Amino acid sequence: MKIDVPKYQQIAADIAAKISDGDYSEGEKIHIRSSLASQYGVSSETARRAVCVLEDMKIVEITKGSGVLIKSRKKAEAFRAKYDSIRQMSDLKKNIVNILDHQVSQSISLKELVSELMYKTERFRAVNPFSPFEIEITQNASYIGQSLAENNFWHNTSATIIAIQRGENIVISPGPYAVISVGDILYYVGDENCHERVKNFLYSDK
């Protein structure tokens, strides 16, 4: 199974890392949005989404024109740490799958990888203590074709989507611009009542 991280989130994480490293200072106004597309070799829409992610996380503030104001180095560090944790877990899973696929008789290496994965998983759960719920999007669901931002998913359910499985692909931490499609499986966290709220939100009118 292939695990993908959206390109705009990769760009957002890279910019957050630069803020975290002190390349940009709090209160500094920079003009990066107009040059992001060429710098990272992406479309202007992808570059816009990357900056919007940083604004949603309260790391930057978009001002008139193309100016971007650096708001919080601390929040940039937190975003970078979360992104790095997810990438590390993803890399560990890929290593385990590769060993199993090639039927390599390296039981010691495999055990070490599994142990490390379990350790990092426990650390991740310590920061995100809720067990994930899941729900499949069928043709009877509401809001098909809308993004999570358009249907105010979090505001209506208080649930945070941490991944979307679409066929053989999994998009980690998809963000508010992810669009709900038939066949998707949403993985989300929240309080003990959030699963019921999500079901009612998506299927109450059907």
Side-chain angles (χ1 to χ4, degrees), residues 7-62:
K7 185 65 177 179
Y8 68 88
Q9 287 209 355
Q10 296 179 37
I11 295 172
D14 188 61
I15 297 173
K18 291 179 179 178
I19 297 173
S20 177
D21 290 338
D23 294 343
Y24 303 123
S25 304
E26 289 185 358
E28 180 180 354
K29 186 176 181 181
I30 55 179
H31 298 271
I32 60 174
R33 185 163 53 154
S34 60
S35 62
L36 280 181
S38 58
Q39 180 181 348
Y40 289 95
V42 297
S43 67
S44 57
E45 175 62 16
T46 298
R48 184 190 69 81
R49 287 186 176 188
V51 176
C52 285
V53 168
L54 296 175
E55 184 178 45
D56 290 344
M57 299 296 293
K58 310 298 184 184
I59 297 172
V60 304
E61 178 181 306
I62 301 174

Side-chain angles (χ1 to χ4, degrees), residues 37-108:
S38 58
Q39 180 181 348
Y40 289 95
V42 297
S43 67
S44 57
E45 175 62 16
T46 298
R48 184 190 69 81
R49 287 186 176 188
V51 176
C52 285
V53 168
L54 296 175
E55 184 178 45
D56 290 344
M57 299 296 293
K58 310 298 184 184
I59 297 172
V60 304
E61 178 181 306
I62 301 174
T63 57
K64 291 183 179 180
S66 60
V68 177
L69 182 68
I70 307 301
K71 295 288 291 183
S72 174
R73 180 176 181 179
K74 184 177 181 180
K75 286 184 170 61
E77 292 172 346
F79 177 75
R80 180 185 189 181
K82 181 178 179 181
Y83 182 87
D84 287 346
S85 294
I86 292 173
R87 293 303 302 171
Q88 288 172 9
M89 291 172 64
S90 175
D91 290 342
L92 284 169
K93 290 179 181 178
K94 288 179 182 178
N95 288 336
I96 293 173
V97 170
N98 287 336
I99 291 176
L100 295 176
D101 285 346
H102 293 89
Q103 297 182 348
V104 179
S105 58
Q106 299 178 351
S107 59
I108 296 179

Side-chain angles (χ1 to χ4, degrees), residues 155-175:
H155 293 287
N156 284 299
T157 66
S158 297
T160 300
I161 295 182
I162 59 174
I164 298 178
Q165 180 175 340
R166 184 166 295 161
E168 290 299 310
N169 294 340
I170 292 181
V171 178
I172 301 293
S173 189

Side-chain angles (χ1 to χ4, degrees), residues 133-148 151 153 157 161 163-167 174 178-188 195 197-204 206:
F133 300 97
E134 65 179 85
I135 192 168
E136 183 176 3
I137 302 300
T138 69
Q139 61 184 1
N140 296 319
S142 301
Y143 311 109
I144 293 173
Q146 291 188 15
S147 71
L148 301 176
N151 61 39
F153 186 90
T157 66
I161 295 182
I164 298 178
Q165 180 175 340
R166 184 166 295 161
V179 175
I180 295 177
S181 302
V182 174
D184 285 355
I185 297 178
L186 309 183
Y187 295 90
Y188 52 95
H195 185 54
R197 289 195 297 270
V198 170
K199 287 195 299 182
N200 291 335
F201 178 64
L202 291 174
Y203 292 101
S204 60
K206 300 295 180 179

